Amino acid sequence: PILSFSIRTEKGSFKDSVQMGADELIRHIGAGGMAESSPPEVSEYTAFFAEHLKGTHHLIHIALTTGMSEDYRRACEAAEAFENVTVINSECLSSAAGILVLIAYKLMQQDIATDALVKELEQVKKRLRCSFIMDTTDYMARRGYIGGKLHSLAKALDLHPCLSFKNDETTLGGVWMGSTKYAYKKYIHKAFPVDIIPDSDIAFITYADVPEETLLWIREEISKVAYFEHIVFQQASAAISSNCGPGTFGILYFVKGNKSYHIASLFPEEAKDSYEEAAEEVMDDVTDDVSGQDAPDVESRPDTESETDDTPVEKKWYEEIEGIDGKTAIENSGSEEAFRTVLKIFYDSIHVKAKELGAYYDSEDWKNYTIKIHALKSSAKLIGATELSEEAYALEMAGKEGNTEYIREHHDRFMEQYMRYEENLAGLYGASESEEDKPVADANLLESAYEALKEGAEMMDSDMLDDVFEELKDYALPAEDASLLQKIKEKADSFDYEGILQILKERMQE
């Protein structure tokens, strides 16, 4: 059972998610209206506890962090009227507190004594990871969570702040300047530090007014740095939305420990399917964009064969890719079309990732080497490259343990295995149009491209850079420019905007 927060507007007070949803609230504020959220009054907690104690011996109430809410304090005050109510401060909020609720439910099913259950929850809550990135500071400023000067600065510089919740404290987890997509990318990478391993059971992407296409893109970006068996999209409540505003999303998960709680098992299979349904519809469009043409209809053959039909069964497009377990990849990705897209992303990044990894190895930068191998391990597992993923995992563990001898002994073998996928996947993603068939890029077009790249790098706008490279794909490039643009693209892929500007500066000086 859930005790709803209240949303107060000019038109009255409404129960969160009962009388007012997040979409209604965002429309109301977008039209110039006022809205403030608050936890129930102490008397409401008292009545809530009394009602539910009729059917149980002991009640455990999991409250939100004191850094953002009076929930814990008011619940504790109400609990003083009872001998069998325990209030736990989750030290987080939103779906992270929900994870703790699910863990508590799993423990309850094991008939663990109340004291032991509470003790374990107090320990495992330290393994929750809870953070959000906001597209704008408007809502935070409106609620008084940030000052007017900081808000003005954020608007002027197009800043996107991230809030992190840990140890019952709300801290600024990062601030990124530039396009929303660039800030999202930086936040996703920061949400998975190299020194922790997420529990792969489940993660929540909790969002407020974020388009489905963007949610799907977020899931793909997460898959590059972390692996989860289940990712659940959860719309934020009206109370959360009133504080953060549209364009906000959070990544909420649980850090791997000695004990796994398998909370994904609490979700019915049909519910898990429904989480993927909207994403799969969007994936059709995304795949078309990536490939430049409609995806092959690999399931269009009529299912009319009888048991005695000797017609050979047409193999799936992924069944003969060396080093890839297609069925495992589809399970990991969520659908066949999702697998097709992440496989293309994996193929396109092989050259850049290998160069980055090699550079960190040569310079003995083991910290960044471990970060890169960790991301590669996750993406390899996602596409069903199980053996490659296991090799990367061994190197990642060696990096975390400081076992550089193991890395030196196994790095070259791993790189040979990794680079083999460039050849294995070339048949799927080789260029459909030869360079001879393309028009040659003239001097004016190239100068315009370089100017656009310079502007994109100065603005730290990854979208603008991507658009330039996408446009140049349709042209044959002179050898010197092709080499220079490849260097710029490698810098762009790693968000090295200063490196791009340095290359362009040297070009002007030649």
Side-chain angles (χ1 to χ4, degrees):
I2 295 173
L3 183 57
S4 296
F5 275 36
S6 296
I7 309 294
R8 186 171 59 85
T9 73
E10 302 93 333
K11 297 181 179 180
S13 183
F14 304 89
K15 294 296 183 184
D16 185 7
S17 302
V18 177
Q19 298 169 322
M20 176 178 281
D23 290 339
E24 294 170 280
L25 178 112
I26 288 174
R27 283 196 298 270
H28 173 74
I29 297 180
M34 179 276 295
E36 290 185 356
S37 65
S38 62
E41 297 297 330
V42 174
S43 59
E44 293 177 86
Y45 283 99
T46 303
F48 179 80
F49 294 161
E51 175 63 25
H52 290 287
L53 281 171
K54 294 177 182 178
T56 187
H57 295 293
H58 200 102
L59 191 66
I60 297 174
H61 177 74
I62 295 178
L64 303 185
T65 173
T66 62
M68 290 290 288
S69 174
E70 287 283 293
D71 180 23
Y72 177 71
R73 186 191 64 78
R74 294 184 185 182
C76 285
E77 186 175 341
E80 292 177 359
F82 307 91
E83 295 181 352
N84 49 354
V85 173
T86 301
V87 181
I88 292 178
N89 178 4
S90 68
E91 300 185 2
C92 56
L93 77 168
S94 191
S95 297
I99 291 174
L100 195 62
V101 172
L102 296 176
I103 291 173
Y105 183 75
K106 292 285 283 191
L107 292 173
M108 184 199 71
Q109 291 179 321
Q110 300 172 23
D111 286 333
I112 296 176
T114 302
D115 290 345
L117 192 154
V118 171
K119 182 179 179 181
E120 186 162 350
L121 290 177
E122 289 289 348
Q123 293 172 345
V124 299
K125 73 181 184 183
K126 300 297 183 181
R127 289 159 54 192
L128 293 171
R129 291 296 179 267
C130 177
S131 61
F132 286 84
I133 184 170
M134 286 158 286
D135 191 31
T136 172
T137 57
D138 289 346
Y139 283 53
M140 296 291 289
R142 204 173 292 179
R143 292 300 309 274
Y145 290 126
I146 64 172
K149 290 185 178 179
L150 179 58
H151 174 54
S152 298
L153 181 65
K155 288 184 71 69
L157 299 179
D158 195 17
L159 299 180
H160 308 272
C162 160
L163 292 183
S164 295
F165 304 89
K166 189 176 181 181
N167 297 327
D168 207 29
E169 292 183 354
T170 305
T171 59
L172 191 63
V175 179
W176 296 282
M177 181 173 62
S179 71
T180 299
K181 189 173 181 181
Y182 168 75
Y184 282 178
K185 281 185 179 180
K186 299 296 286 185
Y187 162 65
I188 290 168
H189 283 263
K190 188 176 180 62
F192 298 98
V194 68
D195 60 341
I196 66 169
I197 302 175
D199 188 298
S200 61
D201 183 33
I202 198 167
F204 288 83
I205 301 173
T206 302
Y207 63 94
D209 199 26
V210 176
E212 287 181 358
E213 293 87 350
T214 303
L215 291 174
L216 181 59
W217 174 83
I218 290 168
R219 184 176 67 174
E220 290 172 0
E221 289 296 313
I222 290 174
S223 72
K224 297 176 184 178
V225 293
Y227 169 73
F228 292 100
E229 295 176 16
H230 304 284
I231 291 184
V232 177
F233 294 100
Q234 177 63 51
Q235 186 177 30
S237 68
I240 295 293
S241 300
S242 70
N243 294 326
C244 60
T248 295
F249 80 93
I251 303 173
L252 309 106
Y253 63 97
F254 189 60
V255 175
K256 187 175 182 62
N258 295 329
K259 182 176 180 179
S260 184
Y261 296 92
H262 304 292
I263 58 177
S265 63
L266 295 172
F267 292 83
E269 287 303 319
E270 58 268 23
K272 292 176 188 174
D273 292 340
S274 70
Y275 298 144
E276 303 294 338
E277 186 176 346
E280 288 178 8
E281 291 175 0
V282 175
M283 181 60 79
D284 294 336
D285 299 330
V286 174
T287 305
D288 292 348
D289 292 340
V290 171
S291 64
Q293 58 185 5
D294 289 341
D297 186 4
V298 297
E299 296 183 351
S300 61
R301 183 172 54 84
D303 188 16
T304 57
E305 299 177 11
S306 66
E307 292 183 1
T308 59
D309 192 348
D310 294 330
T311 304
V313 177
E314 182 182 348
K315 288 190 174 182
K316 295 282 191 178
W317 61 273
Y318 52 78
E319 289 183 341
E320 294 185 342
I321 303 176
E322 185 179 349
I324 297 289
D325 183 341
K327 291 183 178 179
T328 299
I330 290 173
E331 291 177 3
N332 293 343
S333 303
S335 72
E336 184 176 322
E337 294 309 318
F339 167 42
R340 189 192 303 276
T341 299
V342 296
L343 187 64
K344 176 67 163 62
I345 294 170
F346 180 87
Y347 172 75
D348 288 341
S349 66
I350 290 176
H351 179 75
V352 173
K353 299 294 185 187
K355 187 172 181 179
E356 290 176 345
L357 202 59
Y360 290 134
Y361 176 82
D362 292 339
S363 63
E364 299 187 354
D365 184 350
W366 304 123
K367 179 180 178 181
N368 281 310
Y369 181 92
T370 304
I371 292 172
K372 290 297 177 184
I373 204 73
H374 165 78
L376 185 52
K377 171 206 68 177
S378 298
S379 57
K381 186 171 184 177
L382 189 67
I383 66 161
T386 306
E387 185 177 347
L388 183 70
S389 179
E390 291 173 351
E391 294 283 347
Y393 175 74
L395 287 167
E396 178 192 355
M397 291 299 102
K400 289 182 176 180
E401 296 167 1
N403 187 354
T404 56
E405 183 178 349
Y406 180 91
I407 296 176
R408 290 190 175 94
E409 289 177 358
H410 294 83
H411 171 80
D412 290 342
R413 176 171 173 262
F414 172 81
M415 293 302 292
E416 289 177 9
Q417 186 179 359
Y418 179 39
M419 295 305 298
R420 207 173 296 139
Y421 281 85
E422 197 166 38
E423 180 181 344
N424 295 348
L425 298 173
L428 280 176
Y429 301 117
S432 59
E433 182 181 10
S434 66
E435 290 296 309
E436 290 80 4
D437 296 331
K438 297 178 180 180
V440 177
D442 60 24
N444 290 332
L445 174 64
L446 289 170
E447 277 307 316
S448 297
Y450 286 125
E451 283 297 321
L453 291 171
K454 180 174 181 291
E455 182 181 354
E458 289 174 341
M459 296 174 62
M460 295 190 292
D461 190 335
S462 61
D463 290 340
M464 181 181 293
L465 298 175
D466 289 342
D467 289 343
V468 175
F469 291 119
E470 188 65 32
E471 182 180 348
L472 290 174
K473 283 182 180 179
D474 296 330
Y475 295 89
L477 304 173
E480 184 177 347
D481 290 290
S483 176
L484 187 65
L485 287 164
Q486 178 59 36
K487 292 178 181 177
I488 294 174
K489 189 174 189 312
E490 291 172 4
K491 297 291 186 183
D493 289 339
S494 58
F495 306 110
D496 184 358
Y497 299 111
E498 291 185 5
I500 294 173
L501 293 173
Q502 182 61 36
I503 292 174
L504 293 172
K505 180 180 179 181
E506 292 172 358
R507 172 182 174 271
M508 295 298 296
Q509 292 173 348
E510 292 178 354

